[in-house]
Amino acid sequence: MRAASASRAASRTLRSSLRPSLRRYCTETDAILMAAPPRMRVVDLHRPDALNALNSEMVATLLPLFQDWQQVGGDVKLVVMRGAGDRAFCAGGDIRFLHECASGYAATGDPAALSPAHEFFRAEYTLNNVLGTSRVPVVSILGGIVMGGGVGLSVHGQVRIATDSTIFAMPETGIGFFPDVGGSYFLPRLPAHLGFFLGLTGTGLVVAGSSSRSPGDPATSSRQARGCAGATS
C-alpha cells in the first residue's frame, strides 16, 4: 500500500512538471499542446470538454508537424500522443461540425457547403498515412475513450498503450457511416474475425479485451503511462 501511494504521488509530480512545457510550446490553437523535451515531442489533444474530438483545426496543426518530424537527420526521435483529461484519448471526429456541413448542403443544395467536410477528411486521411509511414516512432497513450478518428491517430503508429480506462470502438455504423481512417485495413487483421464484428456492430472493447491484443499493447494504469511521458521533460 505504501509503495502504491508513493508511485501515485510520483506520477502526479511528473505530470505537474510537464505542464509548464506544454504551455511554453502551445500552438496557435489551444486544442493542441506540445512539449519539446530533448529529441522528442509530447503532443496533447486538448479539447477535454469535447472528449478531445478531432476537428479541422487540430488536423491542420498536426499534419505539418508530423510531416516536419520526418526529416532525415532531424532532432525528433520519438513522439508521444496523449489526450487531455481522464475521460478520452480522442472520441473521434467532430460530428457536430460534419453534421453542420451536411445540413447546410441539405438546406441549400450548394455543393460548396460540403467543401469544409471534404477538406477535413482529405487532411485527416493524409495525417493517418503520415503516421502509418512515419520514420519516427509514435507512441499513443490510450487513456479513456478511443473511437473513430482517435483510432486513426493511434492505430497506425508503432506503439499503442492501452490503460486501465481504455474503451476502444469503431462506432461509425451507428450513424450510417463506415469504419474509415484505415479501418478496412486494420480491422480484418484482428484474430478470430473480431475486426469484422467490431466494424459491423460498433461494439466497444473495455480494457480486458483491448489490452490483450492489437490494436492495443499491454495495459498499464493511466497514471503510470502519463507519468512516464512526464518524466521525459
Side-chain angles (χ1 to χ4, degrees), residues 12 29 32 34 52 58 96 103 106 128 156 159 165-166 172-173 180 200 202:
R12 285 194 295 269
T29 168
I32 299 293
M34 185 178 71
N52 302 318
M58 296 166 74
R96 179 177 297 179
S103 297
N128 295 155
H156 299 295
V159 179
S165 64
T166 298
E172 288 80 3
T173 53
D180 63 335
L200 289 171

Side-chain angles (χ1 to χ4, degrees), residues 19 36 48 68 89 91 100 107 115 133 172 177 186 195 205 230:
R19 289 184 188 125
D68 182 64
F89 169 75
E100 289 174 353
S115 293
T133 59
E172 288 80 3
F177 197 38
F186 61 79
L205 296 177

Side-chain angles (χ1 to χ4, degrees), residues 144-163:
I145 297 169
V146 187
M147 295 183 179
V151 174
L153 283 180
S154 56
V155 76
H156 299 295
Q158 285 77 5
V159 179
R160 286 81 56 197
I161 301 176
T163 76

Side-chain angles (χ1 to χ4, degrees), residues 28-233:
E28 292 182 0
T29 168
D30 286 341
I32 299 293
L33 302 180
M34 185 178 71
R39 296 180 298 281
M40 70 177 292
R41 298 294 182 267
V42 180
V43 177
D44 271 17
L45 310 176
H46 197 257
R47 296 183 68 206
D49 292 341
L51 298 178
N52 302 318
L54 194 64
N55 61 21
S56 56
E57 189 179 29
M58 296 166 74
V59 173
T61 299
L62 289 171
L63 180 55
L65 287 174
F66 275 97
Q67 289 173 328
D68 182 64
W69 295 334
Q70 304 310 308
Q71 295 181 18
V72 177
D75 66 335
V76 178
K77 306 303 182 184
L78 175 70
V79 178
V80 177
M81 281 200 293
R82 315 178 303 179
D86 297 325
R87 296 190 296 163
F89 169 75
C90 175
D94 191 336
I95 298 299
R96 179 177 297 179
F97 159 73
L98 298 173
H99 181 266
E100 289 174 353
C101 293
S103 297
Y105 174 70
T108 64
D110 183 1
L114 294 175
S115 293
H118 292 163
E119 290 301 319
F120 168 76
F121 282 119
R122 182 179 294 109
E124 181 188 24
Y125 297 160
T126 301
L127 176 59
N128 295 155
N129 178 261
V130 171
L131 291 167
T133 59
S134 176
R135 300 177 69 256
V136 177
V138 179
V139 178
S140 297
I141 300 174
L142 308 182
I145 297 169
V146 187
M147 295 183 179
V151 174
L153 283 180
S154 56
V155 76
H156 299 295
Q158 285 77 5
V159 179
R160 286 81 56 197
I161 301 176
T163 76
D164 52 359
S165 64
T166 298
I167 302 173
F168 174 95
M170 290 293 289
E172 288 80 3
T173 53
I175 58 172
F177 197 38
F178 62 91
D180 63 335
V181 298
S184 61
Y185 174 81
F186 61 79
L187 286 175
R189 285 165 172 76
L190 295 179
H193 303 291
L194 176 62
F196 290 101
F197 172 75
L198 296 177
L200 289 171
T201 66
T203 299
L205 296 177
V206 296
V207 68
S210 62
S211 67
S212 61
R213 54 175 67 92
S214 179
D217 293 321
T220 186
S221 75
S222 55
R223 287 183 176 180
Q224 286 175 329
R226 294 183 67 86
C228 287
T232 61
S233 65

